[in-house]
Amino acid sequence: MKRRILLGNSNPLSDLATVMLALADVGHLTEGQALLRFERMFAAQLGAGRACSFFAGRVALAAILDAIDIRAGDEVIIPAYTCVAVPNPILALGATPVYADIDRRTGNLCPHSVARVVSNKTRALLVQHTFGIPAAIAELNAVAREHSLRVIEDCTHAFGANYAGQPVGTHGDAAFFSMEQSKILSTGSGGIAYSANPEIARRLADYQSRSSFPPALVTWKMLCYLVDITLLGGPLYNSLTDTLSYYMKRTGLAHGPVTTDEEMACVTPVGILTRRLPNGLAKIGISQLARFEKNRQRRQCISEQYAAAVERLRIPTLSIPASAAPNMVRFPIVVADKAEIIRYMRAQAVAVGDWFSAPVHPWAVDQAAAGYRAGSCPEAEWAVAHIANLPITPRMSDADVQRVVNLLETFQGMARTKADEFAVAWP
Ligand SMILES: Cc1ncc(COP(=O)(O)O)c(C=O)c1O
């Protein structure tokens, strides 16, 4: 496969230059003026609220839980098709994540399921916009209003998506975003908490001021990690990059985003939920925001090409609410055998994703420790078995997209199945 010297962005050479400059500016790795500038630029994409930056999306969620006074004994409703980084900050407070089921046709929370799990201890509802497709916010907000619940939007997959003409992240009391490597806007690792409610925004800023920066050396190593993936990463799957990243991280030369073994066991290591985004990474965020609209359009164009292809191949995808304009982080497809297609496509250097590989992702997570009871959310368990996702990055050319589509078609043919057997018919 032809390799490109580019990554993560429609103009990665300029990203690389930004990373190199940030690496050289050793005096401002931790604190500096880029932080405030980045937060202001980010907030301006959403509205008149305030954005507070943190070291990861999970830290931004912890800040929001603090800002809306979630305490031990409270319950927070979350979808049973999510990442372990969502229940963990809730558990860390001694509060309880309560799982509501999704709708398999949308991949997002089912309002009826939410209504069924509300109790007199429920204080908040977390609405996740899975794969960048907005959830049914109007209906979910109505359930929340009826029970006086706070609404937290999980926009980690969905920066740049709109619902009813307004950006996701502006429909609840507060929202959080992730800037981890695989996300739409990426600083390697990072998160934003946003709120337009002045009191919540003040509390978020307060939480941020009580948090600490990672050591300068960690920031420097994160930037080294960005150099590695920027230089060697292709838009599709590249085992060399993966291997090199792995060894750079193992040998301590680079530091990438990690979910620790403790987090997998739903124990939050001390200090993880009070870390700030360092200045060196905020500079990368500024560079990415400057080209954000162009990148969003490219994602949209790739999504449309995939949508036309899966319609022709009769492979189902998730449905989009009428009033929603998604910004897809990856393109979901519904298949009979998820493991088989992932294996085949990876062998062809196409990173078909397994998000989510368990109701509380990834599969290695102790589901019971996360508070998930097997069988309680059958739609989510179905989605885990049948929803895979295709890569989208603004760096993908039309030829790259076509290659993915061709492989999908070949796989379909090889499986010697009719299209509606390869895919799964809706019930
Ligand atoms: C749905 C969802 N929420 C939250 C997170 C946490 O984001 P971060 O890794 O930046 O902490 C993730 C991580 O991928 C996610 O997929």
Side-chain angles (χ1 to χ4, degrees), residues 55-59 61 81-83 85-86 128 130 154 156-157 176-180 182-183 189-191 257 259 355-356 361:
F55 196 55
R58 62 201 74 181
V59 188
L61 172 58
Y81 187 57
T82 192
C83 168
V86 172
Q128 176 180 297
T130 314
D154 179 341
T156 48
H157 296 188
F176 68 103
F177 298 79
S178 168
M179 285 139 9
E180 183 266 336
S182 60
K183 302 303 190 302
S189 179
T259 296
W355 296 359
F356 292 111
H361 178 91

Side-chain angles (χ1 to χ4, degrees), residues 32-180:
Q33 293 182 345
L35 275 169
L36 197 57
R37 186 155 164 244
F38 174 56
E39 289 177 346
R40 288 196 174 141
M41 279 175 81
F42 195 102
Q45 294 278 332
L46 300 176
R50 178 166 189 168
C52 292
S53 59
F54 294 96
F55 196 55
R58 62 201 74 181
V59 188
L61 172 58
I64 291 172
L65 295 171
D66 180 82
I68 63 173
D69 279 327
I70 300 295
R71 291 162 203 243
D74 291 345
E75 292 180 358
V76 178
I77 299 176
I78 66 175
Y81 187 57
T82 192
C83 168
V84 69
V86 172
N88 275 354
I90 300 169
L91 289 163
L93 289 171
T96 307
V98 174
Y99 294 86
D101 211 351
I102 59 163
D103 179 335
R104 70 173 69 178
R105 289 164 304 180
T106 64
N108 281 321
L109 270 176
C110 163
H112 301 296
S113 178
V114 171
R116 276 196 293 275
V117 296
V118 175
S119 79
N120 58 8
K121 292 185 186 160
T122 314
R123 300 281 170 266
L125 167 65
L126 185 140
V127 177
Q128 176 180 297
H129 304 297
T130 314
F131 295 118
I133 302 174
I137 308 176
E139 290 86 339
L140 291 162
N141 272 347
V143 178
R145 254 195 317 276
E146 193 185 328
H147 299 279
S148 307
L149 309 181
R150 292 286 202 182
V151 173
I152 303 168
E153 287 181 83
D154 179 341
C155 303
T156 48
H157 296 188
F159 183 53
N162 283 286
Y163 181 88
Q166 293 295 321
V168 299
T170 61
H171 297 273
D173 294 288
F176 68 103
F177 298 79
S178 168
M179 285 139 9
E180 183 266 336

Side-chain angles (χ1 to χ4, degrees), residues 213-421:
F213 289 104
L217 187 60
V218 169
T219 307
W220 203 82
K221 288 181 176 182
M222 291 238 35
L223 289 165
C224 288
Y225 163 74
L226 288 174
V227 173
D228 163 38
I229 55 177
T230 307
L231 267 175
L232 292 174
L236 302 176
Y237 183 67
N238 184 331
S239 55
L240 177 67
T241 319
D242 266 18
T243 313
L244 197 71
S245 288
Y246 176 78
Y247 282 108
M248 282 181 74
K249 282 190 247 167
R250 283 227 43 175
T251 54
L253 275 174
H255 184 96
V258 275
T259 296
T260 62
D261 290 347
E262 281 165 291
E263 287 175 286
M264 297 285 202
C266 301
V267 175
T268 299
V270 177
I272 274 203
L273 294 179
T274 48
R275 275 195 161 185
R276 294 186 60 170
L277 185 76
N279 191 59
L281 298 189
K283 290 179 183 174
I284 317 304
I286 292 171
S287 155
Q288 297 232 334
L289 275 178
R291 284 187 306 284
F292 182 66
E293 185 48 31
K294 203 167 152 203
N295 286 352
R296 200 184 61 77
Q297 285 171 17
R298 182 68 195 140
R299 274 183 190 277
Q300 174 78 29
C301 175
I302 294 169
S303 307
E304 282 166 9
Q305 291 177 54
Y306 279 147
V310 298
E311 192 180 346
R312 179 173 63 78
L313 296 172
R314 298 171 63 208
I315 298 170
T317 179
L318 295 176
S319 58
I320 296 166
S323 43
N327 189 22
M328 290 195 194
V329 66
R330 304 193 57 97
F331 189 91
I333 53 171
V334 181
V335 295
D337 189 336
K338 184 167 153 180
E340 197 182 332
I341 189 168
I342 291 175
R343 230 181 353 259
Y344 171 76
M345 297 292 257
R346 287 203 174 174
Q348 308 295 323
V350 172
V352 167
D354 68 348
W355 296 359
F356 292 111
S357 59
V360 186
H361 178 91
W363 60 268
V365 167
D366 182 339
Q367 304 290 303
Y372 181 73
R373 193 166 43 80
S376 62
C377 295
E379 295 276 300
E381 292 183 16
W382 185 93
V384 162
H386 295 295
I387 298 179
N389 58 71
L390 305 176
I392 302 179
T393 85
R395 288 170 310 137
M396 288 176 75
S397 64
D398 288 352
D400 290 329
V401 179
Q402 193 53 51
R403 182 163 171 272
V404 176
V405 170
N406 291 345
L407 285 167
L408 209 52
E409 195 164 5
T410 308
F411 177 78
Q412 201 178 40
M414 270 180 11
R416 294 190 203 289
T417 58
K418 296 202 294 292
D420 45 9
E421 282 174 3

